Amino acid sequence: MSTDVPVTEEAVRPAPWRVRLRALGSELAFPVSLFFFSRLALLLLARVSLVFDNRLHRPPFQQTGPAGLDAFCRWDCGWYTEIARQGYERPQATNFFPLLPMLGRLVHEATGLSIQVSLVLVANVAGLLGLIVLYRLFRALEDEDTARAALLVFTAYPFAFFQSAGYPESWMVFLTALAVLLSVRGRHWWAALALGFGGLSRHLSLVAGLSLLYQQLRSRGGGLKAWFHRDILALAVPLVVTSLYFVFLAWKFGDPQLWWKVRAGEWSGAWSGLGTWWLRDDWAPEVSLYVAVSFIPGVGALLLTRRRRWWPLAAFGIPLMLVLWTVGLVGLGRYSAAVWPAFLPLGAWLARRPALRGPVVLGMALFQGMLVFLFVHSYPIN
């Protein structure tokens, strides 16, 4: 007599946790693979270029090795190194917000790694998380192929290597993208908290509050009542969290406005806009390069208006791009690389033209490699 037990659908169905694990693995595969491939390529380029020619255009702040991770700690990374090492001892250092040096100091104390390497590692952790969040957000707004193309263009953008350097741009991207994603999902208070930490990385992160406001109003159908919903109060959270830095300045220096005074004084020359660039002809060549390349995300930001489902990103991307063109000329290269909403319409355009995807991404990546070479050799690429 047969003792076979009938195989039911429930018996062959995988456990729910296995299904969720597989789905998570499938969702993470592309952004994680892209992150490690791009970072290994950048590290290899830096190492090979410095091994064959270790001459530096400008002495670094404190280099611990000729071709290590600290090769990505140049220029403003020196300020973050100083802050991580000794805190805000000089008023000039208050121009730089505290999240990155604070995290770098924690990694340094926990691991014994140099502060420069710790800063670069912290920046790259945010770079990985940022790609994961962006991929999830782009997939929520478009199909998978478009999301992949957008992430490729974002990663290959010539100045995107600053997401790998000891700069706070990667934290700005991660935290603003996380805030927008949470807002799209209706988790407005968590979105506001994420944006608050984004403000502690770079104050321009707060421009994403316009996206959170738009999403709140849209989710309630607009109208006057939407302005009086209790979740509107969440929009004050980013301001409160970011203001903790100014409370610290009041405690440390006795002046909560010191940051603004330093920017308006000693750092005022760094905050010129396109109007100044048009009027003067003595800008360094790299500044003209920043302006020319910035029109790539500039066009992408304008294209966000074409589809209604992109409007939450347009509420952040367009104002941020306008602000950068107005006051961010000297650092426009790395600043424009943080305008991540602009890369969704660029990815959508490229997804419809598969024959161009390889040449466009490869061309941008090669251009980025040239800039990385200049950056790690301490040429004025900032």
Side-chain angles (χ1 to χ4, degrees):
M1 184 175 70
S2 174
T3 58
D4 292 342
V5 178
V7 178
T8 63
E9 182 179 351
E10 289 75 11
V12 299
R13 182 182 299 165
W17 67 270
R18 291 181 181 273
V19 174
R20 289 194 293 269
L21 187 60
R22 290 174 183 172
L24 180 62
S26 176
E27 185 174 358
L28 293 179
F30 182 78
V32 172
S33 299
L34 179 61
F35 170 82
F36 282 105
F37 177 81
S38 60
R39 268 46 178 192
L40 286 174
L42 292 176
L43 182 60
L44 180 62
L45 172 60
R47 182 171 181 80
V48 170
S49 65
L50 287 172
V51 166
F52 280 95
D53 183 4
N54 61 4
R55 292 175 298 177
L56 301 178
H57 179 72
R58 179 179 183 273
F61 283 84
Q62 228 180 339
Q63 190 175 7
T64 57
L69 284 176
D70 57 316
F72 288 92
C73 189
R74 299 283 191 258
W75 297 97
D76 283 358
C77 182
W79 284 99
Y80 293 109
T81 299
E82 175 186 312
I83 297 168
R85 178 178 294 114
Q86 64 187 39
Y88 287 92
E89 294 299 328
R90 292 194 291 165
Q92 296 89 341
T94 61
N95 184 52
F96 303 92
F97 275 60
L99 184 63
L100 177 66
M102 181 180 67
L103 294 175
R105 177 60 179 262
L106 290 175
V107 171
H108 165 68
E109 293 184 347
T111 64
L113 295 170
S114 71
I115 289 180
Q116 293 92 333
V117 170
S118 298
L119 289 171
V120 174
L121 286 176
V122 165
N124 277 276
V125 167
L128 172 59
L129 296 175
L131 288 182
I132 293 173
V133 172
L134 284 178
Y135 188 56
R136 180 168 292 188
L137 177 58
F138 289 166
R139 286 182 64 187
L141 298 174
E142 289 294 334
D143 59 85
E144 184 172 356
D145 191 46
T146 297
R148 291 189 174 193
L151 220 60
L152 282 170
V153 178
F154 173 74
T155 305
Y157 179 68
F159 290 97
F161 71 88
F162 278 105
Q163 311 292 327
S164 309
Y167 281 70
E169 268 66 27
S170 58
W171 281 97
M172 176 181 175
V173 169
F174 164 53
L175 291 168
T176 54
L178 179 62
V180 174
L181 177 62
L182 291 170
S183 180
V184 167
R185 293 181 171 180
R187 303 173 69 178
H188 302 299
W189 287 88
W190 285 109
L193 182 61
L195 186 57
F197 284 101
L200 291 177
S201 65
R202 280 192 61 82
H203 63 292
L204 289 178
S205 298
L206 296 179
V207 179
L210 296 173
S211 179
L212 272 57
L213 172 62
Y214 173 82
Q215 185 60 29
Q216 284 208 41
L217 298 179
R218 186 180 73 163
S219 65
R220 301 184 195 108
L224 186 61
K225 289 184 178 180
W227 287 91
F228 292 95
H229 192 277
R230 63 181 180 274
D231 285 347
I232 286 290
L233 296 176
L235 297 175
V237 172
L239 300 176
V240 172
V241 174
T242 305
S243 68
L244 294 176
Y245 178 52
F246 304 104
V247 173
F248 165 78
L249 294 181
W251 170 79
K252 176 71 176 180
F253 297 99
D255 187 357
Q257 299 181 349
L258 180 62
W259 166 79
W260 178 256
K261 293 176 181 177
V262 168
R263 291 171 68 88
E266 183 170 341
W267 292 96
S268 61
W271 304 110
S272 302
L274 280 181
T276 307
W277 180 75
W278 287 110
L279 294 175
R280 289 174 50 184
D281 59 1
D282 59 343
W283 287 108
E286 63 270 14
V287 175
S288 297
L289 176 64
Y290 301 160
V291 173
V293 177
S294 73
F295 282 97
I296 297 175
V299 170
L302 292 177
L303 290 176
L304 287 166
T305 61
R306 296 189 62 187
R307 300 182 186 177
R308 183 176 291 270
R309 60 181 177 273
W310 293 349
W311 287 5
L313 304 191
F316 174 38
I318 294 176
L320 179 59
M321 201 69 234
L322 292 175
V323 168
L324 296 179
W325 275 334
T326 302
V327 298
L329 190 61
V330 173
L332 189 56
R334 64 183 171 99
Y335 296 158
S336 62
V339 189
W340 55 264
F343 293 91
L344 180 58
L346 295 177
W349 181 86
L350 204 58
R352 297 192 301 270
R353 297 162 177 83
L356 294 178
R357 185 179 307 186
V360 169
V361 172
L362 180 60
M364 293 175 70
L366 290 174
F367 191 8
Q368 182 182 141
M370 181 194 73
L371 296 176
V372 169
F373 175 87
L374 295 175
F375 178 78
V376 300
H377 283 82
S378 292
Y379 285 88
I381 298 296
N382 200 357

